Amino acid sequence: MRILLIGATGKLGAAVHKTLARRGHDVRTVGRSTGDLRHDITDPAGVAALYAAVGRVDAVVSAAGDVPFKPLADLAPEDYLNAFHGKVLSQIDLVRQGIQHVAERGSFTLITGVLSREPIPAGAAASMANGAVEAFVRAAAIEIAPQRVNAVSPSVFTESLADYGDFFPGMPPVNLSDVAQAYVRSVEGAQTGQVYVP
Ligand SMILES: NC(=O)c1ccc[n+]([C@@H]2O[C@H](COP(=O)([O-])OP(=O)(O)OC[C@H]3O[C@@H](n4cnc5c(N)ncnc54)[C@H](OP(=O)(O)O)[C@@H]3O)[C@@H](O)[C@H]2O)c1
């Protein structure tokens, strides 16, 4: 399949890229300052330019989405807006604009995370963003068929424990190789409206 992968140089994206490429897919990579195509998905004009540049694809796969982490008392309205723009609207726009550019039975796979269902201190904006994306996925699935849309909602990555492990005491981490398999399931499978927890 011809696959557009946003965030391919990140921790998650690199693992997804390796896995999809090994399975024989033709992966076009995207980042703001890295990848084959350089576009910011928080900018609707950037998303439009991205789709215009890449042409028709079979799958759009997102491994990008920034959210601020701060104690609730320090989270200002603009922090929630930044989380919403950085992870929610950006990924919604990949679907909204991508419908015209993805194959009839193609798919979208978005990234969320464990905080939609297992909150941690300083994670309220991330929880909000992850929950919003998961709700969008379920809603969009019933309207875009036969195109499909799913989310992958992992715990903290084993490979990120050195950076973020202190935020997730006692929570089981997940290996990036297992998270990448959830993307394979979404891209190559037949389900839609799913939130995969690898
Ligand atoms: N790390 C964890 O343990 C963990 C656990 C569960 C869920 N997640 C979620 O997984 C996602 C990826 O996390 P990560 O740790 O792999 O992040 P990361 O290492 O910071 O990588 C982010 C990637 O996305 C690209 N990117 C970021 N913003 C972009 C934008 N606006 N437009 C286009 N490309 C953009 C970056 O490339 P450029 O810099 O070139 O733009 C980079 O390739 C995040 O949404 C995160 O919340 C992470």
Side-chain angles (χ1 to χ4, degrees), residues 74-110:
D74 298 336
L75 278 171
E78 54 268 26
D79 292 314
Y80 291 102
L81 280 175
N82 286 340
F84 203 72
H85 281 289
K87 192 157 184 177
V88 185
L89 277 182
S90 53
Q91 296 197 95
I92 287 176
D93 220 33
L94 286 175
V95 178
R96 188 182 69 84
Q97 297 199 46
I99 286 168
Q100 294 172 357
H101 302 276
V102 167
E104 190 187 355
R105 293 188 173 275
S107 68
F108 299 88
T109 307
L110 309 185

Side-chain angles (χ1 to χ4, degrees), residues 6-13 30-34 39-42 63-67 86-87 111-114 130 154-157 160 164:
I6 298 96
T9 57
K11 268 207 161 68
L12 170 60
V30 185
R32 290 161 301 190
S33 56
T34 55
H39 298 280
D40 184 344
I41 63 164
T42 64
D66 287 340
V67 286
K87 192 157 184 177
I111 181 66
T112 63
V114 65
N130 291 340
S155 183
V156 63
F157 310 145
S160 291
Y164 309 125

